[in-house]
Amino acid sequence: MSHTPIKFAYWVPNVSGGLLISKIEQRTRWDIDYNRKLAQIAEQNGFEYALSQIRFTAGYGAEYQHEPLAFTHALLAATEKLRIIAAILPGPWHPVVAAKQIATIDQLTGGRIAVNIVSGWFKSEFTAIGEPWLEHDERYRRSEEFIRALKGIWTQDDFSFLGDFYRFHNYTLKPKPLQQPRPEIFQGGSSRAARDMASRVSDWYFTNGNTLEGIKAQVDDIRAKAEGEGHAVKIGVNAFVIARDTEAEARAVLDEIIDKADPDAVNAFGREVRQAGKASPEGEGNWAKSTFEDLVQYNDGFKTNLIGTPEQIAERIVALKAAGVDLVLTGFLHFQEEVEYFGQRVIPLVRALESQHADPVAA
Ligand SMILES: Cc1cc2nc3c(=O)[nH]c(=O)nc-3n(C[C@H](O)[C@H](O)[C@H](O)COP(=O)(O)O)c2cc1C
């Protein structure tokens, strides 16, 4: 098992309604005051990263959405060490605009921004904003060009690139980002096209929640492919965490979330996500096999099963690490309170288990 401590990130609630399509009471809010305080709690409690979301509209809930780059900048300005990953959607964004915005934010905030290149699954959103909708694997071909362009603009002078989607002729960005060689590039998606893109160009691959076996199969597949490409890629996995003092309490919260699910909104979301993995040539990928219950959490986060006592959750996190996972992306019902609880009660147990595994004699 890797000697590097597993990293923790949380989803920035820059979208209304939290991370659940459920009418259960959530104390999570999507405004900036709530989020500034949350970011400060997170960086003081063992979280290294936060991930903001991009959404232009949402017919299935998530009615209000703040723009992630602007929001990320505000959160970076309110924190000292947290790294924030801002979602960027090729199509609405052109790589030169993204590269320049991010370079400026990086300069203004001490070099702590990263990006998550998402490829789009929400056709109604693209239609609503007048963006052409590409078929599944074409979206990834565009995203890969987008990432190659970002890297080139950030690291080279006189950058030229002749792609099918983007073209550059001797372009020099000044100033470049503060981070050297450049900000980190994450990607979301788990279809064949998403994995292949990760194995060629992304620094990090983010996938939806899944069983340990489901995650291990992806890790092995991507790492083998990346090795063939001479590329290294790290893995982040989504999980909706319900940590409570007893397992019964945690399970009761999950039951209540599901009981209070909003069926119309869950089904509307379920219809929209058919444009994701299911629309790929192989019919696999994010949401391809999601049940109604899985869809109540936007990114299949219950499946990772970080639901139980701090001890149970810590053991499952270390098992994910043993399967090759580098980062756990967390979501919570009541973010401020639960990020703190997770940092106080779960992360120390993870660190203790990691050191036992690293040094079997001491164990
Ligand atoms: C952790 C994570 C975060 C994501 N964030 C966003 C987002 O903010 N906006 C968005 O439109 N899609 C987002 N996506 C969706 C992906 O970019 C991708 O379109 C989707 O997972 C379907 O991928 P697939 O068909 O390759 O499995 C995210 C996916 C993951 C796993």
Side-chain angles (χ1 to χ4, degrees), residues 276-346:
K278 222 173 223 170
S280 66
E282 75 283 6
E284 298 285 338
N286 283 345
W287 301 293
K289 299 195 177 94
S290 302
T291 63
F292 178 91
E293 290 193 4
D294 296 331
L295 292 169
V296 175
Q297 202 290 305
Y298 288 120
N299 288 83
D300 280 356
F302 305 138
K303 275 192 189 168
T304 317
N305 194 23
L306 299 190
I307 298 168
T309 63
E311 291 73 18
Q312 290 172 318
I313 292 173
E315 278 165 19
R316 291 176 199 148
I317 290 171
V318 174
L320 286 170
K321 181 178 175 184
V325 171
D326 302 284
L327 177 148
V328 179
L329 171 64
T330 57
F332 301 92
L333 183 62
H334 308 302
F335 266 82
Q336 288 184 351
E337 298 87 323
E338 297 191 47
V339 159
E340 186 166 13
Y341 183 93
F342 188 89
Q344 304 274 324
R345 299 287 308 277
V346 180

Side-chain angles (χ1 to χ4, degrees), residues 10 37-49 82 339:
Y10 73 90
K37 181 156 179 230
L38 172 60
Q40 289 159 358
I41 292 170
E43 72 175 1
Q44 287 156 13
N45 283 282
F47 284 77
E48 198 170 321
Y49 290 96
L82 191 66
V339 159

Side-chain angles (χ1 to χ4, degrees), residues 238-249:
N238 179 52
F240 193 84
V241 177
I242 310 176
R244 296 292 184 274
D245 294 347
T246 66
E247 187 179 6
E249 275 176 86

Side-chain angles (χ1 to χ4, degrees), residues 18 24 30 49 56 165 178 182 187 201 229 234 254 284:
I24 189 171
W30 58 284
Y49 290 96
F56 286 93
F165 299 91
L178 191 63
R182 55 172 173 75
Q187 70 160 83
V201 292
E229 300 279 347
K234 287 178 268 192
L254 177 63
E284 298 285 338

Side-chain angles (χ1 to χ4, degrees), residues 44-213:
Q44 287 156 13
N45 283 282
F47 284 77
E48 198 170 321
Y49 290 96
L51 170 71
S52 59
Q53 311 163 53
I54 177 62
R55 186 85 297 128
F56 286 93
T57 178
Y60 50 79
E63 191 179 354
Y64 298 93
Q65 320 96 20
H66 280 306
E67 189 282 316
L69 269 182
F71 209 77
T72 293
H73 187 184
L75 294 183
L76 286 166
T79 48
E80 285 169 7
K81 53 186 181 177
L82 191 66
R83 313 184 78 79
I84 309 188
I85 312 156
I88 299 278
L89 186 56
W93 265 281
H94 187 281
V96 77
V97 179
K100 196 150 182 76
Q101 286 179 301
I102 293 158
T104 297
I105 297 173
D106 204 48
Q107 288 283 341
L108 301 183
T109 57
R112 288 185 286 124
I113 193 165
V115 285
N116 184 29
I117 304 302
V118 301
S119 292
W121 51 268
F122 189 12
K123 186 176 177 183
S124 308
E125 174 181 67
F126 274 61
T127 308
I129 63 172
E131 269 293 323
W133 180 246
L134 302 180
E135 70 163 49
H136 186 276
D137 283 12
E138 284 299 279
R139 300 200 290 273
Y140 279 98
R141 229 160 57 76
R142 174 168 66 185
S143 292
E144 183 162 340
E145 284 193 10
F146 195 102
I147 292 173
R148 290 183 188 279
L150 270 185
K151 286 183 175 178
I153 298 166
W154 280 340
T155 59
Q156 296 172 30
D157 286 344
D158 296 319
F159 175 64
S160 293
F161 182 84
L162 292 181
D164 290 341
F165 299 91
Y166 306 112
R167 274 148 198 259
F168 292 87
H169 300 281
N170 302 317
Y171 177 61
T172 301
L173 173 76
K174 289 185 183 176
K176 300 264 189 304
L178 191 63
Q179 290 178 79
Q180 288 303 316
R182 55 172 173 75
E184 289 182 293
I185 299 174
F186 291 67
Q187 70 160 83
S190 69
S191 56
R192 180 73 266 156
R195 295 180 195 190
D196 289 353
M197 181 173 89
S199 69
R200 287 191 290 263
V201 292
S202 307
D203 300 318
W204 287 89
Y205 168 87
F206 260 144
T207 188
N208 276 5
N210 210 325
T211 58
L212 184 60
E213 299 70 40

